[in-house]
Amino acid sequence: MTMTIPPAVDPVPAERPHPDLASLPPLRDVIARHDLAAKKAFGQHFLLDLNVTRRIVREAGDFTGVTVVEVGPGPGGLTRALVESRAQGVVAVERDPRFAAALADLIAAAGGRLRLVQADALEVDPVDLVPAPRAVVSNLPYNVGTPLLIGWLKRIDQYVSLTLMFQKEVADRIVARPRSGAYGRLAVMCQWLADCRAVMDLPARAFTPPPKVDSAVVRLTPRMRSADDPAFATMEALVAAAFGQRRKMLRASLKGLLHTPEPLLESVGIAPTARAEEVDVDGFVRLAKAWRPL
Ligand code: SAM
C-alpha cells in the first residue's frame, strides 16, 4: 500500500518569482533607456542590486495575504523584490512622473499584483489606499522620511509592519536606548507604539548615486495596545515637554505642562532631578497615566 506523506513544510515557496520578472532588463539598463538621471530634490539614491532589495524584503517578514505600500519605487529595484514576495499585492506611490514609463514592464510582468499611484506620499494615507492587512516597505527619500513616519505612527495599529530605510542617524534615533545622545522624542514615541529593530546597515556605496551618509533599515512591528494605555496626544505632549529642554531636570522641564511636577514624578518612581534622557519608555507611560488617567 502506498501512503501519501503530506509535505512537512508549507508548500508555497517563500518567494514566488513570476516567470516574466526574469526577463526584465537589469535596472541599470532601465535607467539608461529612460534617461533617469537622479534628482537630488527627490532624494533619489537607487538600489540596483537585487540581492540587497530581496534581503530587505526578507527582513520585512512574511507578507502572505498582506498588501504592501511602497513609497518611491524609482526604477523598481525594491519593487521587483516585493512583487516576488508572497504579498497579496503591491501599491507603489511615486512623486516623480518620469518613473511611470520605466515601471511599465514590471507592472505588466506582475500580472495584476502591482499598481502605481502617482502622488506625493505626504498627501496619501496608505490606510485609505489599500485594504488591511497592510504594510509599508520603503527606501525612503531622506527629505521626507521622518514626517512620513510620524504620520504613519498616528495610525500604527492599522499596519502589520513598517520596514523603512533611513539615513543611519535617523535609524539610530528610532531604536536609541535611554542615556544615549540619540534617545529622544522619536525613540520614545516609536518604541511605545511598536517593537523597533534595526535589521540591516547599508553603506553609502550600496546606492546609485551614493548619498553622503550611510543608511539603515528599521522594522517597526506595532504593539497590541491595551485600552487603558494613555492616549497618543498625552504621550506626545509629555515627551515634547520633557525633551524640549533635555538638559534640564524634569521638575523644571515639565513646569510648563504640569503645575507641580514633583509629586507626580515621585508617585511613579521617577526622581524629579532626573533628565528626560534617563527615563525609559515605561517611565514615560507611567507618568502619562498618572497625569491623565483614562
Ligand atoms: N525604491 C527605489 C530604490 O530603492 O532604488 C528608490 C528609492 S529613492 C531613495 C526615493 C524615491 O522616492 C525616489 O524614487 C523619489 O522620486 C521618490 N520620492 C521622493 N519624494 C517623494 C514623495 N514625497 N512621495 C512619493 N515619492 C517620493
Side-chain angles (χ1 to χ4, degrees):
M1 191 178 82
T2 52
M3 219 167 68
T4 314
I5 301 170
V9 291
D10 184 342
V12 181
E15 282 160 7
R16 47 176 179 186
H18 193 285
D20 293 346
L21 289 200
S23 62
L24 290 174
L27 289 159
R28 277 187 201 284
D29 294 359
V30 172
I31 289 172
R33 189 181 305 163
H34 295 275
D35 199 14
L36 296 169
K39 284 189 181 171
K40 218 175 164 184
F42 287 153
Q44 292 174 351
H45 301 281
F46 306 127
L47 287 171
L48 305 183
D49 182 342
L50 293 178
N51 292 318
V52 171
T53 61
R54 285 180 181 135
R55 214 183 120 202
I56 295 171
V57 173
R58 272 200 302 276
E59 295 289 357
D62 182 359
F63 282 142
T64 304
V66 175
T67 304
V68 179
V69 172
E70 185 198 3
V71 169
L78 190 53
T79 325
R80 287 188 192 191
L82 286 168
V83 169
E84 284 176 352
S85 80
R86 291 184 179 196
Q88 180 79 15
V90 180
V91 173
V93 181
E94 174 58 63
R95 187 174 180 187
D96 186 342
R98 295 179 307 154
F99 291 105
L103 291 167
D105 287 348
L106 176 56
I107 291 169
R113 288 178 54 244
L114 172 61
R115 183 159 68 92
L116 176 65
V117 173
Q118 225 164 78
D120 181 345
L122 286 169
E123 287 167 14
V124 179
D125 189 340
V127 175
D128 302 329
L129 207 58
V130 301
R134 65 180 77 75
V136 179
V137 177
S138 175
N139 171 12
L140 286 167
Y142 290 153
N143 43 350
V144 290
T146 313
L148 282 170
L149 171 62
I150 288 169
W152 297 332
L153 283 181
K154 292 186 176 142
R155 303 181 80 183
I156 189 83
D157 58 328
Q158 298 292 317
Y159 297 93
V160 170
S161 62
L162 308 175
T163 304
L164 309 170
M165 172 96 68
F166 292 95
Q167 57 199 95
K168 181 90 173 63
E169 174 263 332
V170 176
D172 288 346
R173 286 203 287 124
I174 294 170
V175 300
R177 309 316 275 177
R179 298 172 190 275
S180 69
Y183 186 67
R185 284 172 72 175
L186 197 59
V188 177
M189 292 308 285
C190 287
Q191 293 173 34
W192 171 51
L193 294 164
D195 172 63
C196 303
R197 276 165 213 260
V199 293
M200 189 173 164
D201 282 343
L202 269 184
R205 67 182 139 75
F207 301 83
T208 306
K212 288 201 174 69
V213 291
D214 293 342
S215 295
V217 178
V218 178
R219 195 185 65 219
L220 294 94
T221 312
R223 294 182 195 288
M224 295 301 290
R225 305 230 57 90
S226 67
D228 68 339
D229 273 323
F232 190 94
T234 305
M235 273 294 272
E236 238 187 354
L238 196 61
V239 172
F243 285 101
Q245 298 170 291
R246 62 183 292 141
R247 303 304 325 152
K248 285 197 173 169
M249 295 176 186
L250 287 171
R251 69 180 176 204
S253 58
L254 295 182
K255 266 249 158 66
L257 203 62
L258 313 167
H259 196 246
T260 46
E262 282 91 342
L264 201 71
L265 286 160
E266 276 162 359
S267 75
V268 295
I270 299 173
T273 51
R275 293 177 169 78
E277 66 182 34
E278 297 170 288
V279 179
D280 62 12
V281 177
D282 242 40
F284 279 108
V285 172
R286 291 198 309 277
L287 196 56
K289 281 180 173 167
W291 176 35
R292 285 188 184 162
L294 295 179

